[in-house]
Amino acid sequence: QEISLSPRGFPGSLGGDLPTAWPSGDLIGIQEPRVSLRPSTMVDFSAGASAMSLVDKTGRRRPPWQAGVIREGMAKTAEGKWASREVGVLASRQNGKNGAIEEVEIGWMVDEPGVQILHTAHKYKTAMKAMKRLVLLLKASPALWAKIKKNGIRYANGAESIEFENGSTIHYSTRTNQGGRGEYYDRIVFDEAMVLSEAAYAAIKP
């Protein structure tokens, strides 16, 4: 069964719409993280702004805290390098963490032709749900959907991926103690990082 879109443009869940990261009424709660470590070298926020501009075409709305994750997580130094080698987000379940990383992933793939991304999760169904959410988000914008390579979406076991016309590709997989060895990726996303084992991390990291 396909993932559905809510009227506000947020991917829902299998079989229907669930509450999204944007409530039907006013925003509730503090939009700044209680604890945060931000590098002082952040000066260029154009990459995050571009990513959000691309996703705006889908009609998706994002709460301020998500915008902050995207803007600062993709910040660069004055020399044009990423200000943060690693970016981590800790929040309760079903609060929109994946919504932020989806926008980051789209920004990477569109603005950096040929970038190779590995999106990993502890469970296979979590990885597949993330892939289907991203596909649905891309479909919500004709401009973004036109960037997908013909037959570039693969659901075959072991080859789950989305490939763009510009050569950028995002691969989806579960984590194992050997998964990732002998492979090369420019960016790695660790979904469900609370169950990221040292062995699985060692198999994937450079």
Side-chain angles (χ1 to χ4, degrees), residues 132-146:
K132 291 177 180 179
R133 280 174 55 102
L134 192 62
V135 168
L136 199 62
L137 185 59
L138 292 166
K139 282 184 176 180
S141 166
L144 287 176
W145 189 244

Side-chain angles (χ1 to χ4, degrees), residues 14 21 23-24 30 33 55 57 67 84 88 94 115-116 125 178 191 195 205:
L14 291 173
S24 58
I30 299 172
V55 176
K57 297 181 175 67
S84 301
Q94 304 300 325
V115 71
Q116 300 297 302
K125 67 177 183 179
Q178 296 298 321
D191 197 354
V195 283
K205 71 177 182 180

